[in-house]
Structure formats: C-alpha cells, structure tokens
Amino acid sequence: FAQEVTLRLHQFLPAQANVPKFVLDPWADKVEKDSGGRIKIERYPAMQLGGKPPELMDQAIDGTVDIVWTLPGSTPGRFPSTEVFELPFMMTNAEATSRAYWDIFNSKMKDTEFKDVHIIAAWVHGPGLIHSREPIAKLDDMKGKKLRAPTRIVNALLGQLGATPVGMPVPAITENLSKGVIDGAVIPWEVTTALKVAELVQNHTEFGGDHALYTTTFVLAMNKARYDALPDDLKKVIDDNSGADVSALFGKTQAGTDAAGRKVAVDAGNNIIELSATDVEPWKTAAQPVMDNWVVEMQGKGVDGQALLDEARTLIDKYTQK
Amino acid sequence: MILPRIVEWLARALAIVGGIVLGVIIVLTVVSVTGRALIWAGFGPILGDFEIVEALTGFAVFCFLPYCQLMRGHAILDVFTNMMGPTVVRAIDAFAEIVAAIVLALIAWRLTHGFVDKFRNGETSFIVQFPMWWAYAACLLPAYVSVATAILTSARGVKAALSGRDLLPEHHGME
Amino acid sequence: MSNLTLGMVSFGVLLAMVFLRIPIGLSMFLCGAVGSWIITGSTAPILGQLKQIAYSTFSDYNLSVVPLFLLMGQFAAYGGISGKLFRTAENWLGHRRGGLAMATIGACAGFGAICGSSMATAATMAQVALPELRRNGYSGALSTGTLAAGGTLGILIPPSIILVIYATLTEQNIAKLFIAAFVPGILAAIGYMIAIRIFVWKNPDEAGELKPRMPYRDRFAALLRVWDILLLFLAVLGGIYGGYFTPTEASAVGAFGAALIAWARRGMTVHQLRDAIFYTASASAMMFFIVLGAMLYNSFLALTQLPQEAAAYVVELGLNPWVVMSVILVLYLILGGPMDSLSMILLTIPIFFPIIMGLDYGLPPEELAIWFGILVLISVEVGLISPPVGMNLFVIQSMAKDVPTRAVFRGVIPFIISDVIRTAILVAFPAITLTLLRWVY
Ligand code: NA
Ligand code: NA
C-alpha cells in the first residue's frame, strides 16, 4: 500500500477548534482509511501555509494547496448564489439546510460560480443568534447597538434593524467585547466557547419559530487539476466522501457542537432570551427589505434571485419535514 | 540622462503620497473613534473604517517601497563588511540589488495577476463593498516604480563594482 | 533529500545569505519561495500565493500600527517631546555616575509608554540623546548600547507591537497582555539602570562628566513641564482600557496627539514634515518587507513539517514543564542572535504556544497564555539587541556612524546580561507578571 498521493488541507482555525476536530479530521481520517493508506492528507490549521482566510479559495483554485475549508462569504461578490442560505430567517436546522444547499449547489452553482474548483461538500452551521452586553428582547433594543457581524448579509440585516455593524476579524471579537468597543456579536453558539463570549456578555437572544435568524455557508474545496489527475479508484474514494450525505453530516455535526457552547452560558447563569414565534414576527417584517434588496442586487449579477429564493425555501422545507 | 532622474523623482513623490495617506488614516481613525464614542448623541463610526484603513495601509506601504529601495533602507547585516574588503562588498551589493530587482519584478508581475483575478471575479470588501480590484489597481503603479528603482540601483551597483567607486548611498537610508 | 533535511538546510542557506549582507527580508523571501518550489515540485503554488500575499501582508490591519508609531516617533522628535522627556529624566538622574545614560533609559521608558514600536523609540530617543551622551564624554559603546537597549522599552512597556502580534497569533486579549507587561517593563528599565551602574563602575573612563545635582523642587518642576506628554499618555492608555478604542486605533490617536503637541509647541516646518515622512517610508518598507519574507519562509517551513516534528519531539521527551520552558527561552536567546525578532515570533509561536499550553504550570489557561506571552516578548526583545542581527543595533549604528560595529556589540552586552537575569526571575515567579492583572480584573 505505497502512499501515492499527499493532499494538503489548509484552513483558518486552530487544530483543536470544533470544526477541525469534529468535522475535518474525521473526514480526512476516513479518506485515508478508505484509500487503504494510498492517500495521505496533511493538515495545516490556523493559516500555517500563509495568507489570510479570504485567500483560501484562491489557494485551492491556483493549487497553492490541494484542499481548503472556507466561507464563500469571506470573498463578498464572488459566490452570490450561496448568499440565499445566509438571508435572514431562511435556515431551519443545519442538516436540512445543508441538504438544500448541496442540491442547489449541484444544479445551479457547480458549473457557474464554482467552475474553477472541485467542491467536496457544502454545508451551513447551526442557528445564529445575538450575544450582547445589554439584553435584546425586542426590535427596539437594537437601536444604536454596535454589533460585529459575520457576513455581508448580516451586516445589511443589522443596518436594517437599526444597529451599527462594526467590522473586525474574528480573534478581535473577544478583546473588543470585553472593553465595550462593541456591544455584542452575532455568531452561533458553537463559536462562543473559543471566543469566551459567555464570560464577556450576559445576554443571548435566541430566535424561536421555524426559522433561525441567519446561518453562514461553508465549502470544502479541492484544486480541480489535482482532483482530475487522481487515478480512477482514488477519485472514487474522494467521490464516496463527497456530496449530499457528507454535507448533511457536516452540518449536523457542526450544529451538534452548539449545545456545549449554550451550556457554558447557562452554567454561568447568563440571561438567555428565547423569543417566541410571535415575538419574532416584527423582526421578520423588519428584515424583509434585506431579501428584497438582495433579489434586486442579484439581477445585476445575472442571477434570478427570486427563483433561487423560492427554490431554496421549498427545498429547506422539504428536507426539514422529513 | 533624464530617465534616472524621473525614477528618483517618482520614488520620492510616492513616499510623500504614502505619508499623506498615513495622515488620512490618522484623521479617519480619530473621527471614527470619536463618532463611536458619541453614538448616544446621534453620531456614529465611519462605516467600514477597519477595511478602509487596511486598503489605505496596503497602498501606503507599496508607495514606500521605491523610496526604501532608492535609499537602500532594507535591513542588512554588515558585520563582516570590514573583513571582506570594499571590492567584494561592492560586488555583493551589486548582486543583491539585481536580486532585489528580480524579486520586486516578481511581486509586481504577480500583483498584476492578482488584480486581473479581482477584476474578473467581482470580489468586494466586507462592509463598504468597494471592489477589491480598486485596492489592487492602486498598488500597481508604486509596485512597478519600485521595479524601476531597483533596476536603477542595480545599474549603479554594477557600475560601482566595475569602477571601484562607491555610487550607491550607504545602507539604511534613515535621515 | 527529505523535507525535514530540506528545512534544516534552508536554515543554513538563510543564515549564509544574511551574513553575506543580502537584505534580510530578501533572503527570507528567496529561501521561502525557492524552498516551496522544491518541496511542491512546481512553481504554481508559490506563483499563485504571490498574487495576493504581498497586498494582504502590506494591508494587514494589526500591522498598520507600524507606520503610525514610526510617524508618531518622528512627530515626537521634531515637536520636542522626546527632548523634553530627556531633560526631565536628566534633572532627576544627571548627577549620578553614568547618570545621563540612566536618564536616557528613563526617557525611553516614558516614550515607550505612548509608543508601541521598539525601532521608533530607539530612533527617536537616539536623535536627542546620542549627541548629548557623546558631547558629555560617554563612550561610543556605552552610548549606543544604552540607546539600543532603551529602545526595547518601546515594546517592553505597553503598548507594544510585538504583543499585538502575539495576541493575534494566539487569540489572546490584547488589553490584558498590556496590563501584564507593565510591571516587567518597569523592571526592565530598572535592570538597565543597574547594568549601566555596573558598566561605569568597571569602566570609569567610559562614563562622561557628572551634571550638577538638582534640588527636588526643580525636579518636580521639570515633571510638570511635560504635562502635555503625560496627558497624551493618559489619553492613549485611558482610551484603550476605557473601551473607547482598540489598541490598534490607539496608534492613530497617539500619532494625532503627538502631531498636535508638535504643532502647539513650536510647529513643524514643511521641511521637517517631509523628512519625517521619508524616514517613516524607509523604515516601514523595511519592516513590511521583512514580514513578507517571513510569511513566505514560514509557509515553506510549515510545508517541511519541521515545526510540527519539533513540537512532537518535545512532547515525546516528556520533560518537566519548567525544563521545557527554559529550553524554549534559551532557544529564543540563541535564535535571537542571528534572527530578526519579528520573523522569529511569526516562526515559533505556532510551534511553542501549543506545547506550553499543553503543560501544567499551576496556572489557569488564560494566565498561562499571558505569562508565556510576556516571557516571549522579553526573549524577542533580547533578539532586537543581540548581535549580530538586531533591528535596534542597526538603527542606532546607522545614527552613530563614527562608532565601530564591534563597539556597539560590546556596549550592549551588559544590557543583555540584565535581560537574562530578569527573564530568569520572571520565569521563577509568575506572580510578578500576573498580580497586577489579577488585581485589575
Ligand atoms: Na510601548
Ligand atoms: Na538578534
């Protein structure tokens, strides 16, 4: 079982963070095992091979590395269709939404926006929520709050809801929260443990009802030439560890790590505000212009935003009811 | 020769432009910080201040490169200079200038490709959403001027090595 | 040749190039680029990476403090801020043997409290103090050694560029690191003064004339005359700890304040402003080019797996945590000789941080991370003044062209010894670093 292929996997989080530990490592181990040791996947966490997180996609496209885990949203404007899943009140649970994401990726994005790269999996994280120094129980509480947002869409959403979006890299959140440079951050529970958010703010606003406030899309992407050059049997190993089921599993696994983050906040005696489906209605109304603007914006990029939006909703509902 | 003088002038002028950009960064940050502190009074931070500072810093540093090259401001270790004798030193310096010219040309050439990528793929910044190719395009001129400057200093280095006279400014062009 | 061997060979090649006076940034750039080419067997990876890495390195938000602190240092020099600080310190210490050198250290400490860059502090204070020291009969060795070491107070006393970079690499709280750096920074200044004391005791002919002893009334009057500098100091630190701005933004506020003081004092001429910009341009480009070279060399080293193997090896040895800590710090002292400090921290923290965090020093994780950060800061700072490669040595030597390199190296040795002793004390007693932090938080 001579080793034939070494693939370099590059990503931005430290090796012991949730996604590398529970999603990427198990996947890489499985690929190595399924190939009978003929594929070796070298793992480079925390941008060890250089560059900044937004450069990851180009590193995979240009062959600087072989595989990357990245957020299409870290390079705004390049993968506009993925944003349909990041729009407010779209996602239900990570597993179903990831399935819908893969379906639409496969039918609409594979040969267009992602034509320069081979996508192994496409998934989303668990329900995103607001963590803040002062309690946010109703829409009015958002006025004048300085909040750090993860994506372009959430930035637009915050502006729409009356808050001030503040841009900063993820590691800076902890420090700026502790000093009050920002009043809060919008992230899923899973990330709060690493950033010590529950120690720094006492309020967490969860959005009840069928749809979560927002989510963020991810892809596991491979250099195209590298994939094409694999011998057929090894290509099959990669293919068997790609696609809809793998994406759904990734989404489910990542969302599964949310509970630990929430528990930290509960144990700390923090105030967890659970908005009911009725409470959320005014938020949905206020967020509507974000959807409308997005559809208009998509026209300029040659994407039928409304059709994409409708299809994504239908698919998410379909997979959620299963 | 008029060409070397144009290159020298450009290198100095770009350094001044970079300095002015630093001034802009300072004012922008102070205004943004003040606005953020006064949110209660209806003011606010400059939207996307963070990414604007990033783009401006990148441009400023590219603007500083030609001047640094011209004045030989790059850090070197000259402990063994005395032992090697002036002829050897001049030869090594000429060699280093040529290598620097090649590396700077490599950087400028790849930056051009980066610019083309950003121009084609429509990537924007995060909050203000200015096209990223703007930032790359702005850096192209200073990047190529740094190549021209390095070619100039290479020519001077070679001339110095051949003639046995010191024609390059001393290392560490800190005035 | 295995990848590990390639990594080690590259290290030798890098050192050889640096010793042959090829610019340091250029040497790292070439070793990194060529190394990646060899290891991947193709030019595509490195050419792809180069499309973005120059722009993304030069536009790094955290590094934007570098040109701002350098410019601020220039404003401070031309606006008379550093001069006034020096006069004040002179009034307090000038009458002692070696007092002018001690005053330089004191003024450097004061300046270090508003400026986060070692190089900017060394260069700014050298502009004022170097002529004074030489005119008063201090030897070239003692003068340059004092200024090179005094400059490191720019990063030892918060705010500090190196701590910003450490915090970024390890995802730690920058403000907490600044607080923790405070007491060790003061200890550094005191340690340097003791080093000067011992140096002039051993070499009495190298310390110049004594200044007349000033009555305490005059000394406090001198302190009052630096009120605007103290105000800037309070505004910068108060802003950071009061949550008004980030430490990165503080550099812009500091530069703004220094410009205001310079303008209010006597105004800067257009000519001076131009020189300030030229200096900032040259020094910033130099630093950013080194960082760019280090980025490429680091990613090549990661590809060789040399850092990972080294970490695994240390863990495998199963040594006592205190031995591991000592080995790492001694390694820093040795590496700090030939290597540049910024590239050293970029190179090693990804390896050493996980090793240290995995060992038991009887401290909670955050305190351990902060304590280790301060120890790294001090080791890195030794790198800045340890021959043959040291950024501060370069800066000072370029400003004191009449002093031979060998004298500069001799002059800095007492300060390095002081650093080593202080490091040992801080390793043995983590409480020295952590008490203020525990008290504040
Ligand atoms: Na400082
Ligand atoms: Na050194």
Side-chain angles (χ1 to χ4, degrees):
Chain A
F1 50 94
Q3 209 177 83
E4 284 171 22
V5 180
T6 302
L7 299 175
R8 302 188 172 95
L9 194 165
H10 199 205
Q11 53 88 15
F12 55 96
L13 286 184
Q16 61 277 15
N18 285 332
V19 174
K21 196 165 150 192
F22 297 110
V23 175
L24 301 177
D25 274 345
W27 176 83
D29 291 342
K30 182 153 184 302
V31 169
E32 287 179 346
K33 190 168 144 278
D34 291 357
S35 72
R38 289 167 61 210
I39 294 179
K40 182 178 187 315
I41 298 185
E42 285 178 358
R43 297 138 215 210
Y44 296 94
M47 299 306 294
Q48 273 181 2
L49 295 182
K52 290 203 210 134
E55 288 162 57
L56 281 168
M57 186 58 89
D58 283 321
Q59 293 188 347
I61 291 174
D62 294 332
T64 302
V65 298
D66 303 313
I67 302 174
V68 300
W69 168 54
T70 187
L71 293 73
S74 67
T75 52
R78 289 180 62 173
F79 308 100
S81 300
T82 60
E83 288 179 344
V84 72
F85 295 99
E86 301 182 342
L87 288 170
F89 304 109
M90 280 295 289
M91 80 98 67
T92 52
N93 66 68
E95 189 180 0
T97 311
S98 298
R99 273 194 192 279
Y101 177 22
W102 178 267
D103 276 8
I104 293 191
F105 157 75
N106 212 15
S107 63
K108 294 240 160 53
M109 305 179 215
K110 195 172 164 185
D111 301 319
T112 56
E113 290 164 21
F114 288 98
K115 65 178 186 325
D116 297 327
V117 73
H118 177 80
I119 298 295
I120 291 168
W123 73 103
V124 301
H125 67 56
L129 64 154
I130 304 173
H131 313 264
S132 56
R133 291 156 73 90
E134 288 165 41
I136 294 177
K138 52 187 191 307
L139 200 46
D140 214 37
D141 295 335
M142 291 288 279
K143 287 266 173 318
K145 292 278 186 304
K146 295 164 283 178
L147 299 176
R148 190 267 176 194
T151 63
R152 189 181 84 90
I153 296 292
V154 179
N155 274 321
L157 173 66
L158 291 178
Q160 204 67 52
L161 299 179
T164 305
V166 179
M168 61 180 59
V170 171
I173 293 178
T174 310
E175 177 203 336
N176 291 316
L177 261 188
S178 74
K179 284 295 150 202
V181 174
I182 49 175
D183 300 313
V186 184
I187 40 172
W189 277 118
E190 171 242 317
V191 189
T192 59
T193 31
L195 299 179
K196 304 182 196 73
V197 170
E199 295 170 36
L200 301 169
V201 303
Q202 275 65 52
N203 301 281
H204 313 267
T205 307
E206 291 183 327
F207 290 76
D210 294 336
H211 299 90
L213 179 66
Y214 86 100
T215 188
T216 305
T217 57
F218 301 104
V219 289
L220 190 63
M222 184 170 175
N223 177 261
K224 206 156 193 170
R226 196 83 168 120
Y227 170 79
D228 289 339
L230 288 177
D232 283 343
D233 53 338
L234 291 186
K235 213 179 256 178
K236 186 172 180 304
V237 172
I238 297 288
D239 290 344
D240 290 345
N241 287 286
S242 306
D245 291 341
V246 173
S247 301
L249 176 69
F250 282 6
K252 188 183 169 192
T253 312
Q254 190 172 347
T257 58
D258 280 340
R262 194 178 193 276
K263 185 171 181 299
V264 173
V266 172
D267 291 349
N270 285 3
N271 176 23
I272 297 183
I273 301 162
E274 299 175 61
L275 299 183
S276 71
T278 341
D279 295 339
V280 175
E281 278 312 315
W283 294 75
K284 285 189 176 170
T285 315
Q288 188 54 42
V290 177
M291 323 286 258
D292 300 341
N293 293 341
W294 182 80
V295 170
V296 173
E297 234 182 308
M298 287 304 106
Q299 272 169 359
K301 295 180 191 288
V303 175
D304 186 346
Q306 191 58 52
L308 200 60
L309 190 58
D310 295 340
E311 189 185 350
R313 278 213 172 106
T314 313
L315 282 172
I316 291 174
D317 285 349
K318 181 180 114 188
Y319 287 123
T320 307
Q321 274 147 26
K322 264 189 187 168
Chain B
M1 277 282 279
I2 185 97
L3 206 58
R5 254 187 276 161
I6 294 176
V7 172
E8 283 206 24
W9 185 86
L10 274 174
R12 287 174 207 276
L14 282 176
I16 298 292
V17 170
I20 294 170
V21 171
L22 288 189
V24 173
I25 292 174
I26 291 171
V27 172
L28 184 134
T29 306
V30 170
V31 169
S32 193
V33 164
T34 314
R36 203 170 53 207
L38 296 177
I39 278 191
W40 53 269
F43 294 91
I46 293 173
L47 212 59
D49 50 354
F50 161 82
E51 61 198 38
I52 298 173
V53 166
E54 279 198 328
L56 290 177
T57 307
F59 174 64
V61 174
F62 267 107
C63 286
F64 292 157
L65 272 185
Y67 182 79
C68 182
Q69 190 61 32
L70 184 70
M71 303 310 289
R72 306 183 82 215
H74 290 297
I76 61 148
L77 178 64
D78 58 352
V79 203
F80 300 116
T81 308
N82 301 336
M83 272 185 255
M84 291 189 290
T87 315
V88 181
V89 166
R90 276 193 287 265
I92 292 177
D93 282 359
F95 173 73
E97 296 295 333
I98 293 169
V99 173
I102 294 170
V103 164
L104 287 168
L106 181 67
I107 291 175
W109 169 50
R110 297 320 295 169
L111 183 77
T112 313
H113 278 263
F115 157 72
V116 171
D117 278 0
K118 302 286 173 204
F119 186 77
R120 286 202 185 130
N121 66 30
E123 186 176 326
T124 69
S125 78
F126 218 65
I127 292 185
V128 186
Q129 295 182 38
F130 62 81
M132 283 309 288
W133 67 262
W134 291 6
Y136 274 71
C139 298
L140 286 177
L141 173 73
Y144 280 102
V145 172
S146 74
V147 180
T149 316
I151 292 173
L152 178 68
T153 51
S154 299
R156 285 179 181 168
V158 171
K159 216 164 160 190
L162 294 179
S163 68
R165 283 181 301 132
D166 289 317
L167 297 170
L168 294 169
E170 259 193 68
H171 249 292
H172 312 302
M174 294 169 186
E175 289 154 305
Chain C
M1 185 161 30
S2 82
N3 288 351
L4 271 179
T5 325
L6 185 66
M8 286 188 261
V9 167
S10 81
F11 213 72
V13 173
L14 177 63
L15 288 188
M17 289 177 78
V18 169
F19 280 122
L20 279 173
R21 60 184 270 142
I22 310 277
I24 295 156
L26 199 59
S27 306
M28 295 184 100
F29 187 108
L30 279 177
C31 285
V34 174
S36 299
W37 179 10
I38 295 175
I39 216 166
T40 58
S42 154
T43 53
I46 186 71
L47 289 183
Q49 184 155 40
L50 280 172
K51 287 201 277 193
Q52 300 190 81
I53 201 161
Y55 174 79
S56 80
T57 304
F58 293 170
S59 64
D60 186 293
Y61 183 70
N62 286 323
L63 293 181
S64 69
V65 301
V66 171
L68 295 181
F69 275 139
L70 290 171
L71 190 61
M72 174 185 163
Q74 291 292 296
F75 289 161
Y78 287 118
I81 293 179
S82 34
K84 278 209 301 182
L85 271 174
F86 180 71
R87 296 274 159 260
T88 308
E90 186 190 340
N91 282 336
W92 282 81
L93 294 164
H95 60 282
R96 294 168 187 272
R97 182 148 284 285
L100 221 47
M102 292 188 200
T104 305
I105 294 294
C108 285
F111 193 70
I114 44 174
C115 180
S117 152
S118 179
M119 222 168 57
T121 306
T124 308
M125 293 313 302
Q127 277 168 354
V128 187
L130 205 51
E132 292 285 329
L133 286 166
R134 300 311 304 279
R135 199 173 54 228
N136 284 284
Y138 283 76
S139 73
L142 182 57
S143 310
T144 53
T146 301
L147 279 159
T152 66
L153 294 171
I155 57 164
L156 285 174
I157 293 179
S160 159
I161 288 178
I162 295 288
L163 281 184
V164 168
I165 291 170
Y166 177 84
T168 314
L169 287 174
T170 63
E171 306 192 346
Q172 291 302 311
N173 183 320
I174 297 179
K176 284 189 182 177
L177 277 162
F178 281 4
I179 292 181
F182 199 74
V183 171
I186 301 293
L187 285 181
I190 296 171
Y192 288 161
M193 290 190 190
I194 296 173
I196 291 169
R197 197 72 204 209
I198 295 172
F199 185 89
V200 298
W201 172 61
K202 291 239 172 197
N203 312 280
D205 51 322
E206 295 201 35
E209 301 149 23
L210 298 185
K211 293 269 171 183
R213 187 190 183 95
M214 300 296 265
Y216 274 93
R217 187 162 35 87
D218 291 2
R219 296 188 196 181
F220 282 106
L223 255 189
L224 260 184
R225 278 198 298 277
V226 292
W227 68 270
D228 46 2
I229 301 162
L230 294 177
L231 196 70
L232 180 61
F233 166 74
L234 282 179
V236 169
L237 287 192
I240 295 176
Y241 301 118
Y244 291 103
F245 40 76
T246 66
T248 315
E249 290 164 336
S251 65
V253 176
F256 185 74
L260 271 189
I261 294 178
W263 174 73
R265 294 249 81 211
R266 57 179 191 206
M268 266 172 88
T269 64
V270 176
H271 196 84
Q272 288 173 328
L273 190 61
R274 195 200 61 186
D275 287 349
I277 290 176
F278 277 155
Y279 171 81
T280 307
S282 192
S284 310
M286 169 183 105
M287 285 200 64
F288 275 89
F289 204 79
I290 290 179
V291 176
L292 175 62
M295 290 285 177
L296 288 183
Y297 188 64
N298 280 356
S299 49
F300 156 68
L301 267 194
L303 275 178
T304 66
Q305 305 264 336
L306 185 64
Q308 297 91 319
E309 294 287 334
Y313 181 72
V314 169
V315 174
E316 231 169 70
L317 285 177
L319 294 168
N320 175 302
W322 298 92
V323 175
V324 176
M325 178 68 88
S326 310
V327 168
I328 288 179
L329 293 177
V330 168
L331 202 63
Y332 268 122
L333 289 183
I334 298 169
L335 284 178
M339 281 191 69
D340 161 64
S341 58
L342 197 60
S343 18
M344 191 162 76
I345 184 170
L346 290 166
L347 206 60
T348 55
I349 285 302
I351 313 170
F352 291 151
F353 186 71
I355 296 181
I356 289 295
M357 292 309 285
L359 299 173
D360 180 20
Y361 294 89
L363 295 171
E366 192 186 28
E367 288 194 355
L368 175 57
I370 287 173
W371 177 56
F372 181 59
I374 302 303
L375 294 177
V376 167
L377 173 76
I378 294 168
S379 312
V380 157
E381 165 268 316
V382 182
L384 288 171
I385 58 171
S386 60
V389 180
M391 202 68 83
N392 284 16
L393 297 177
F394 294 152
V395 172
I396 300 302
Q397 213 198 344
S398 73
M399 300 178 83
K401 296 213 163 78
D402 61 313
V403 183
T405 305
R406 201 177 307 159
V408 177
F409 288 0
R410 189 174 72 87
V412 84
I413 287 172
F415 300 98
I416 296 177
I417 295 173
S418 154
D419 281 335
V420 172
I421 295 172
R422 175 165 37 94
T423 312
I425 294 174
L426 292 175
V427 170
F429 306 102
I432 297 176
T433 308
L434 297 169
T435 303
L436 184 63
L437 184 71
R438 289 171 186 157
W439 182 72
V440 171
Y441 278 86

